[in-house]
Amino acid sequence: MEEVQKHIRCKKGDIASYVLTPGSVERVEKIADHFDNKELVTRHREYLIYNGQYKGVDVTVCSTGIGGPSTSIALEEMIKVGADTFIRVGSCGARQPDIEIGDVIVVDSAFRGEGTSKEYVDSAFPAVADHYVTAALIEAVKDKGRKLHIGTSYTRDAYYKQNPALNELLTEYNVKCSEQECSTIYTLARIHGVRSGGIVGTDSNILLPEQPTLAEKEELFAKAEQESIEIALEAIYKLAEQDKK
């Protein structure tokens, strides 16, 4: 009998090989609404999982919670039950003045500012997305006619801790954004020999001279969130078509 994983409560055959990994359980519901034959698989702790199909491709969505620890648990357990392609669909704060709130960013690499991935491997090990996943995301962004931002994210642990000197360096070194999961996903995927990538919608930018209200930010982000979901699903479809060849 196949072993059921402790946290995601799944065993081999319960989920697809292609998985979207938002942090938010609310975003899981929004993603699953795009599926054909949406089916609830499990709901346990911060992990909400649905299966379905998108353009005939079997796909799963699983929330990871906020930050590295819960994300690493989700990745480890999903890999054990057969998932091999992960796309993070998340939110971020922009770290470049030309990135507007509501823009989307394809994250091809991550500055490992969080602690979880360092429990696995030395900090010199790179957190890099899979080339083919990134290429599929870029193509999907272009298909939608959206402005393409692509580059490195700063993945951190302490959401409310601001470091002005570090923020200046992130902007100087052309880091596109900051968020809390990419480097954990990319590092673990590399270690385990599976594919990963990420697209994030911008919900803030500390470099803007005039800051919108929270309500204005949420309205701008809602469009980016929806587009990120659509782009990620199209990227899954493109990868599945490539994988057939």
Side-chain angles (χ1 to χ4, degrees), residues 5-217:
Q5 297 301 306
K6 179 177 180 179
H7 299 89
I8 65 170
R9 299 296 169 93
C10 292
K11 61 184 185 302
K12 284 189 177 180
D14 283 347
I15 65 172
S17 60
Y18 301 102
V19 183
L20 301 184
T21 58
S24 160
V25 292
E26 291 83 6
R27 196 170 303 127
V28 168
E29 300 281 4
K30 294 174 184 178
I31 292 170
D33 284 343
H34 288 73
F35 291 173
D36 295 323
N37 305 314
K38 178 177 76 172
E39 176 189 4
L40 175 65
V41 178
T42 185
R43 183 192 301 265
H44 182 64
R45 299 175 71 104
E46 59 264 76
Y47 305 112
L48 174 62
I49 302 177
Y50 281 94
N51 284 341
Q53 290 82 40
Y54 179 77
K55 293 186 175 181
V57 179
D58 291 333
V59 60
T60 294
V61 57
C62 174
S63 52
T64 62
I66 297 175
S70 61
T71 298
S72 68
I73 289 170
L75 262 289
E76 289 277 11
E77 295 190 0
M78 285 191 285
I79 291 168
K80 287 178 182 177
V81 300
D84 61 21
T85 302
F86 301 92
I87 296 181
R88 165 158 156 67
V89 185
S91 60
C92 72
R95 289 293 179 267
Q96 295 299 320
D98 64 326
I99 301 177
E100 299 178 5
I101 299 174
D103 281 358
V104 297
I105 302 170
V106 175
V107 179
D108 65 359
S109 54
F111 170 6
R112 294 170 56 200
E114 42 72 43
T116 301
S117 68
K118 294 168 188 173
E119 292 289 316
Y120 284 84
V121 67
D122 185 81
S123 59
F125 188 89
V128 183
D130 177 81
H131 170 80
Y132 294 103
V133 175
T134 299
L137 286 166
I138 290 170
E139 186 177 348
V141 171
K142 291 180 177 179
D143 287 348
K144 287 191 70 67
R146 288 288 269 133
K147 181 179 180 181
L148 176 63
H149 298 289
I150 178 171
T152 301
S153 172
Y154 171 57
T155 304
R156 59 179 179 167
D157 281 333
Y159 180 84
Y160 285 107
K161 175 64 176 177
Q162 288 294 333
N163 183 330
L166 176 59
N167 287 337
E168 288 184 12
L169 285 176
L170 295 177
T171 303
E172 179 183 346
Y173 295 158
N174 199 32
V175 172
K176 300 297 184 184
C177 62
S178 65
E179 44 72 57
Q180 294 189 270
E181 288 83 37
C182 280
S183 69
T184 302
I185 293 171
Y186 295 0
T187 301
L188 267 65
R190 287 282 171 173
I191 290 171
H192 287 292
V194 298
R195 303 184 297 190
S196 67
I199 183 162
V200 291
T202 304
D203 62 14
S204 61
N205 187 340
I206 60 175
L207 300 176
L208 296 179
E210 295 185 12
Q211 291 293 325
T213 65
L214 177 60
E216 290 170 335
K217 288 179 180 180

